[in-house]
Amino acid sequence: MRPEGQTGFVSLVGAGPGRLEYLTLGALRRVERADMIFHDALLDPELLAQARPGAEVVNVGKRAACARAAKQDTILHLMVEAARKGAYVVRLKAGDPFVLGRGGEEGLYLRQQGVSFEVVPGLSSALLAPQVAGIPVTHRGLTTGFLTVSGHHLDGFRDLVLGLTPMSVTLVVLMGFRNRDALRDCLLELGWRSDLPLALIAGAGQAPQRVGRSTLGRLGLESEFDPQGAPVTMVIGWTAGLEIASDLETPTGARNARSAAAV
């Protein structure tokens, strides 16, 4: 948090799935004290309502229609400009700032520009999504490790999984739904079994949350699963065949909204 008496400070804050219930106490305190908040898309209005009266709240989400939110360079410029004017700035990011969230880029840029900052961790969908779907990423007798990987760049995905023994870990794939056919083909070519369990979780931790379950060989042949524009997390591995759901409804009502749709 901004040191007492200091002006021009930035907090890179992880907002988790964007729901108030999943926000850390440290993140909430920073939201409540910020002069300016630059936030990602898909954050719950209840979370943003925690900003103090008079704070300026700006949507710079990549999904927003706002023209100035279209480029990362614009976001960097806005943060630095506000901090240099003496504002306490919170960059409220979905998930965790340092897990496929460009927090590293933003931190490096702030350092280069001489702007003081901190990083406040958030709950990444790489852990949240499997959990709210009742899927442990590790389980005794099935797997002792997991790998979080982006599915956005196919070459990078292949390079990472190439060094793995097929089926030896649980794969948690973020930003890969559009490339699911190519990801499936890549894994099958590398010896991953077509009957390996798979789950798709859309809008993890939000309401409604949608979960589809199938196998690796059927990935891309979805007939019922519709993410409706929400981010999708893919879980591929033996643990994806488990469903250890809580007996209690989640704070967002996600348990009741889970879908059993085959994919």
Side-chain angles (χ1 to χ4, degrees):
M1 194 174 302
R2 176 173 62 178
E4 188 69 30
Q6 181 175 341
T7 60
F9 191 84
V10 176
S11 293
L12 304 177
V13 177
R19 302 285 296 198
L20 181 59
E21 292 87 352
Y22 290 109
L23 202 66
T24 67
L25 181 58
L28 178 59
R29 287 173 174 167
R30 286 154 177 82
V31 169
E32 292 173 336
R33 299 179 186 184
D35 299 317
M36 294 195 71
I37 298 174
F38 297 108
H39 69 87
D40 281 355
L42 303 178
L43 300 190
D44 193 301
E46 184 181 7
L47 189 162
L48 298 174
Q50 306 308 307
R52 66 175 181 79
E56 186 174 353
V57 181
V58 182
N59 186 344
V60 294
K62 299 297 190 298
R63 299 171 189 268
C66 178
R68 69 177 182 176
K71 295 183 178 181
Q72 182 68 18
D73 287 348
T74 301
I75 299 173
L76 297 174
H77 173 75
L78 290 172
M79 287 194 298
V80 169
E81 183 180 50
R84 284 178 172 166
K85 291 179 179 178
Y88 174 36
V89 179
V90 164
R91 172 71 173 102
L92 195 57
K93 305 174 67 62
D96 181 273
F98 280 6
V99 180
L100 300 176
R102 291 197 169 184
E105 297 175 34
E106 293 174 355
L108 286 173
Y109 185 79
L110 293 169
R111 180 71 70 215
Q112 291 166 0
Q113 298 300 312
V115 175
S116 298
F117 72 97
E118 66 170 351
V119 180
V120 181
L123 184 56
S124 170
S125 58
L127 292 175
L128 173 79
Q131 227 174 113
V132 295
I135 301 170
V137 291
T138 62
H139 192 78
R140 188 168 61 174
L142 293 179
T143 180
T144 58
F146 68 98
L147 173 66
T148 299
V149 58
S150 168
H152 183 63
H153 299 292
L154 297 177
D155 289 341
F157 175 86
R158 185 180 181 86
D159 289 344
L160 283 171
V161 299
L162 187 61
L164 298 174
T165 300
M167 288 83 66
S168 61
V169 301
T170 302
L171 283 183
V172 182
V173 185
L174 307 182
M175 302 181 294
F177 189 66
R178 290 185 179 180
N179 291 330
R180 58 194 182 279
D181 288 356
L183 300 178
R184 175 201 63 215
D185 292 345
C186 173
L187 291 174
L188 292 176
E189 289 171 7
L190 294 175
W192 292 64
R193 288 173 49 164
S194 63
D195 63 348
L196 189 65
L198 174 144
L200 302 175
I201 305 108
Q206 301 174 351
Q209 164 185 293
R210 290 164 294 282
V211 179
R213 292 174 179 272
S214 188
T215 60
L216 176 60
R218 291 192 54 78
L219 178 60
L221 304 177
E222 301 89 353
S223 58
E224 300 177 29
F225 183 79
D226 181 6
Q228 299 179 10
V232 176
T233 301
M234 292 193 286
V235 184
I236 306 169
W238 298 119
T239 63
L242 302 175
E243 187 172 4
I244 311 174
S246 171
D247 291 327
L248 298 177
E249 183 177 324
T250 68
T252 62
R255 179 175 181 270
N256 289 342
R258 282 207 320 271
S259 166
V263 298

